Amino acid sequence: MDSLLYYLKPDEMDPFYLFWAKQALISVVIFAVFYLLSRLLQVLIAKIGTRLCAATETDLDDRILERVSGPAMLLVNCAGLYLAIRRLPLHDKVGVAASGLLFVVNITILTVIAYRVLDELLKAYGARVAGAEVSRQIMPLVEKLCTIFLVVTALIITLKHFNYDILSLVTALGVGSLAIGLAAKDTLANMVSGFTLMIDRPFRIGDRIQLGAQVGDVIDIGLRSTKIKGADNTFLIIPNSELCNSTLVNMAFPDVRVKGRVNIGIGYECDVARAKELMVQTALAAPSVLKEPRPEAFFMNFGDSSLNLSLFFWVADYTHTVAATDQINGALLQCFQDNGITIPYPTRTVIHEKDTNNAPQD
């Protein structure tokens, strides 16, 4: 064996064709070994890896194994080809170009493997932890940021391999990023605010919110702005930074139930207890009003020309509040008329006194 290895070992004293034949043979052996390793890796993934993944409760590892098995075998073959070419006594420029090309291919395959693993992890996080809605809004942005990070990292490693100055590139990127940030500070502020809204989730798509005098349903939460559809079918676009810095009311949180209120005044001669009882009975008879929590009526204050009462009731969905209020108002008007409860007009008593000192004498 030692003598065989001695004859196979390349020697500078060998003739040109023999030296090349020995180097080519060694390169072929190296590539063959890595090819066998890739086949062995395929068998291990198909038998042992699949069984190990099947033993776990989640299917995340199964998806990751399925997506990286092909690139992993290709990476082993390319690594063997890279080492085999580096063994050949090629011309300096040819050898550098060939090995450099294979190095770029290997880095690309590694980047693809990292991206696929990260993609599956982000999908699992979005579906299980963040929820389907937040996953649909945030995950595309996170995936793009991670893709940019992986590409930049692969580019830096490649440039470092070819002895390029990375420090100057990073400095140029930093200066360029600073200039872009100063020029688009408002846009960046809205983007950061949009990301904050997606994480903090003060409202969701479909929720009805009130921002100052504006009331509407959230249609979309974007990176720069949030789109709201008003009750009058108008389309309101609000910058995310304004939403983050304003006080708003979410009518759909913590649930879609909402408490309605009807204010009414009765005459001073009326029975308040009877009026309150009639108000509760009227609310219970309305189809949109919930039986639990039970409607309640309260004597709030003494008005100028009436005793002011308030009826509080609950509806199952905030979109039914206006319809329930209409039903209760119509029924209360008829009920009070049938039971002798008056709803007085505003009245004012004016007392006119004659000034005897300055009044003209007859």
Side-chain angles (χ1 to χ4, degrees):
M1 178 63 67
D2 294 339
S3 60
L4 180 61
L5 294 177
Y6 174 76
Y7 285 111
L8 292 177
K9 182 178 180 181
D11 193 347
E12 295 181 356
M13 301 301 295
D14 293 333
F16 176 77
Y17 70 89
L18 182 60
F19 181 79
W20 253 95
K22 290 180 179 180
Q23 292 285 15
L25 180 60
I26 294 175
S27 297
V28 170
V29 171
I30 292 175
F31 181 74
V33 170
F34 275 84
Y35 177 78
L36 293 176
L37 288 176
S38 67
R39 297 295 110 184
L40 178 61
L41 178 62
Q42 182 182 15
V43 173
L44 291 176
I45 291 176
K47 293 185 178 181
I48 300 178
T50 305
R51 291 179 182 178
L52 292 176
C53 293
T56 59
E57 296 180 357
T58 178
D59 62 341
L60 175 62
D61 46 5
D62 299 86
R63 299 199 306 268
I64 292 177
L65 187 65
E66 181 181 357
R67 296 192 64 181
V68 304
S69 57
M73 290 185 293
L74 181 61
L75 178 64
V76 174
N77 288 327
C78 289
L81 186 60
Y82 172 77
L83 295 177
I85 289 180
R86 287 180 62 90
R87 289 284 309 176
L88 294 175
L90 300 173
H91 189 271
D92 291 342
K93 292 184 178 180
V94 176
V96 170
S99 61
L101 178 62
L102 286 173
F103 182 83
V104 172
V105 171
N106 289 330
I107 292 298
T108 303
I109 296 174
L110 280 174
T111 304
V112 171
I113 292 175
Y115 169 77
R116 292 186 176 184
V117 173
L118 191 61
D119 182 54
E120 292 296 335
L121 292 176
L122 290 177
K123 287 180 180 178
Y125 170 80
R128 183 178 60 183
V129 180
E133 180 181 323
V134 177
S135 176
R136 182 183 65 83
Q137 298 170 5
I138 299 181
M139 289 306 144
L141 173 63
V142 177
E143 287 183 1
K144 290 180 181 178
L145 293 177
C146 293
T147 303
I148 294 173
F149 173 77
L150 290 175
V151 171
V152 171
T153 303
L155 180 62
I156 291 176
I157 294 174
T158 303
L159 294 177
K160 187 68 176 178
H161 175 76
F162 291 106
N163 297 322
Y164 282 92
D165 187 10
I166 305 300
L167 182 60
S168 60
L169 176 63
V170 173
T171 303
L173 290 176
V175 174
S177 300
L178 179 61
I180 294 174
L182 292 176
K185 59 180 181 179
D186 294 336
T187 302
L188 292 177
N190 288 324
M191 293 179 64
V192 173
S193 299
F195 193 76
T196 303
L197 290 175
M198 295 176 186
I199 296 295
D200 191 42
R201 303 183 70 187
F203 50 81
R204 304 168 181 82
I205 293 179
D207 289 358
R208 178 165 295 180
I209 64 173
Q210 179 179 355
L211 181 65
Q214 300 289 341
V215 179
D217 299 326
V218 179
I219 301 301
D220 182 60
I221 305 173
L223 287 179
R224 193 194 68 84
S225 62
T226 296
K227 301 175 180 61
I228 299 175
K229 183 179 180 181
D232 53 354
N233 204 32
T234 56
F235 206 60
L236 183 64
I237 301 176
I238 304 176
N240 289 329
S241 58
E242 182 177 341
L243 285 175
C244 282
N245 298 323
S246 302
T247 301
L248 57 87
V249 178
N250 188 348
M251 300 180 180
F253 189 82
D255 54 54
V256 295
R257 294 187 308 166
V258 70
K259 193 174 187 178
R261 177 173 178 171
V262 171
N263 299 319
I264 193 169
I266 63 175
Y268 270 85
E269 73 282 358
C270 298
D271 187 351
V272 174
R274 178 59 178 165
K276 290 167 58 178
E277 181 182 354
L278 292 174
M279 292 172 70
V280 172
Q281 292 176 0
T282 303
L284 289 173
S288 302
V289 176
L290 295 177
K291 303 302 183 290
E292 290 293 336
R294 184 179 175 83
E296 296 178 302
F298 297 96
F299 176 24
M300 303 302 293
N301 53 64
F302 295 90
D304 293 337
S305 57
S306 64
L307 302 174
N308 297 325
L309 282 68
S310 292
L311 172 67
F312 296 93
F313 58 93
W314 288 86
V315 292
D317 194 308
Y318 58 84
T319 59
H320 301 159
T321 307
V322 176
T325 303
D326 175 72
Q327 294 169 4
I328 293 174
N329 284 336
L332 269 180
L333 180 61
Q334 184 63 42
C335 181
F336 279 8
Q337 290 176 355
D338 295 341
N339 289 272
I341 305 294
T342 60
I343 303 176
Y345 292 104
T347 59
R348 187 181 301 274
T349 302
V350 179
I351 301 175
H352 180 71
E353 294 182 356
K354 185 176 181 180
D355 188 354
T356 58
N357 295 325
N358 297 320
Q361 301 296 323
D362 293 335

